């Protein structure tokens, strides 16, 4: 069951302090998670990261570096964004224990990403809007933001506790059932779907990019929350293609 964790991906976005990356590597390895993806880190590789990682230098050496978050979550069927504070458009929110139960149920099926933000400003709204749901560590309201490596530690600890419970035949129940006849759409399929949706909504003059309001964010939230499978994804793509084709004929 241990190799389930091969599908767990820790993603750090635009980290400024290499020491924190080392701290994250150590926290991960302690809990049996090895897959680290760095999005545009400000200083990496770094001796400071190696030093803080203690015996987890292998996690750093095997880390993947990519320029965008979209690339970091490629192939994932579930993407969880972490947030130290509440946001303008609320996304479905879980606590770390619920998140671990959900992730553990999905790890046998597809890669699961946990996305962590910058030390000074966390994740942008656009980055948070790439996620299926968000997780908040229920820290004190007056001082809610944890150090990056400490936040990663809490999440991978809960993941390990869920794994150990499952090994004893007592797996925690996930919020969303995972018995499904079709594979879920991957994050990149969802992104192409959103591009196609936007293009079609502009074509039919339902969406005006000059007055975006929150329309696209709300549609994203709807479809990411629904957890589309590949057939549902294909149906929607087909509907948009047919709409655009018919519109062209009419014009
Ligand atoms: N000042 C930033 C906090 C950044 S802390 C902000 O207001 O968003 C760096 C990262 O650690 C966050 O992006 C998040 O990934 C994680 N983190 C810190 N505290 C957290 C909390 N209470 N719950 C979930 N993640 C948290």
């Amino acid at each position: 069951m241990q190799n389930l964790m091969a599908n767990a991906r820790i993603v750090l976005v635009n980290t400024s302090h290499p020491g924190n990356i080392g701290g994250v590597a150590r926290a991960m390895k302690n809990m049996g998670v090895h897959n680290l993806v760095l999005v545009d880190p400000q200083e990496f590789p770094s001796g400071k990261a190696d030093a803080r990682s203690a015996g987890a230098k292998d996690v750093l050496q095997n880390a993947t570096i990519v320029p965008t978050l979209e690339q970091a979550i490629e192939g994932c069927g579930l993407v969880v964004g972490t947030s130290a504070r509440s946001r303008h458009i609320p996304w479905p929110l879980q606590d770390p224990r619920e998140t671990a139960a959900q992730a553990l149920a999905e790890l046998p099926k597809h890669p699961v990403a946990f996305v962590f933000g910058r030390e000074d400003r966390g994740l942008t709204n656009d980055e948070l809007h790439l996620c299926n749901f968000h997780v908040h560590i229920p820290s004190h309201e007056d001082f809610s933001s944890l150090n990056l490596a400490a936040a990663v530690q809490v999440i991978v600890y809960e993941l390990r506790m869920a794994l150990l419970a499952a090994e004893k035949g007592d797996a925690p129940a996930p919020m969303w059932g995972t018995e499904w006849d079709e594979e879920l759409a991957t994050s990149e399929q969802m992104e192409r779907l959103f591009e196609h949706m936007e293009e079609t909504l502009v074509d039919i003059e339902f969406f005006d990019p000059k007055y975006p309001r929150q329309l696209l964010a709300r549609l994203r939230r709807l479809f990411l929350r629904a957890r589309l499978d590949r057939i549902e994804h294909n149906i929607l793509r087909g509907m948009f293609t047919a709409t655009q084709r018919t519109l062209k004929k009419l014009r």
Side-chain angles (χ1 to χ4, degrees):
M1 222 189 220
Q2 287 291 349
N3 60 4
L4 266 188
M5 290 303 155
N7 255 348
R9 203 180 287 181
I10 299 296
V11 179
L12 307 184
V13 177
N14 203 209
T15 312
S16 18
H17 300 294
N20 280 333
I21 302 178
V24 166
R26 181 177 189 174
M28 289 169 60
K29 192 172 174 183
N30 282 148
M31 299 298 139
V33 179
H34 291 87
N35 197 351
L36 177 62
V37 182
L38 306 172
V39 179
D40 189 26
Q42 293 191 19
E43 190 186 329
F44 189 84
S46 149
K48 289 178 221 157
D50 293 349
R52 272 282 297 283
S53 75
K57 219 170 141 181
D58 53 322
V59 174
L60 296 177
Q61 277 159 351
N62 294 325
T64 312
I65 304 177
V66 292
T68 66
L69 178 53
E70 276 194 39
Q71 282 164 285
I73 59 178
E74 228 168 69
C76 289
L78 172 63
V79 180
V80 182
T82 55
S83 182
R85 58 200 155 100
S86 61
R87 301 288 171 150
H88 183 49
I89 300 189
W91 235 241
L93 189 68
Q94 297 190 338
D95 70 29
R97 206 151 291 171
E98 293 163 335
T99 298
Q102 188 66 38
L104 193 75
E106 299 198 27
L107 284 171
K109 296 168 190 267
H110 44 236
V112 174
F114 300 89
V115 184
F116 294 84
R118 301 158 187 81
E119 292 93 332
D120 54 347
R121 8 183 215 111
L123 294 165
T124 64
N125 283 335
D126 284 350
E127 287 161 350
L128 283 164
H129 293 172
L130 289 168
C131 303
N132 296 101
F133 64 84
H134 295 163
V135 56
H136 173 70
I137 299 164
S139 45
H140 196 284
E141 321 68 84
D142 295 343
F143 194 58
S144 67
S145 160
L146 278 75
N147 165 265
L148 176 61
V152 171
Q153 185 74 79
V154 172
I155 300 298
V156 291
Y157 167 74
E158 288 295 343
L159 209 48
R160 176 133 183 99
M161 290 301 279
L163 176 72
L164 295 178
E167 282 175 351
K168 285 196 237 145
D170 192 19
M175 207 157 164
W176 280 282
T178 49
E179 293 312 316
W180 204 250
D181 55 342
E182 291 298 328
E183 274 182 65
L184 294 185
T186 62
S187 66
E188 61 272 25
Q189 287 174 320
M190 291 304 291
E191 287 314 302
R192 299 297 81 76
L193 174 75
F194 292 132
E195 282 168 16
H196 199 176
M197 184 183 303
E198 179 175 349
E199 206 183 273
T200 310
L201 294 179
V202 170
D203 288 349
I204 63 170
E205 296 176 11
F206 181 76
F207 174 62
D208 182 350
K210 273 190 270 159
Y211 306 99
R213 296 186 301 273
Q214 300 290 352
L215 179 70
L216 297 180
R218 289 184 185 280
L219 288 171
R220 269 182 170 278
R221 182 173 66 172
L222 167 64
F223 288 107
L224 288 170
R225 180 175 80 212
R227 314 290 312 274
L228 300 191
D229 69 35
R230 289 178 194 201
I231 294 185
E232 293 162 341
H233 158 272
N234 290 344
I235 292 171
L236 286 170
R237 288 295 299 263
M239 280 168 54
F240 298 145
T241 303
T243 305
Q244 290 179 310
R245 197 173 46 226
T246 305
L247 194 64
K248 241 189 213 151
K249 267 195 243 159
L250 290 174
R251 280 172 180 166

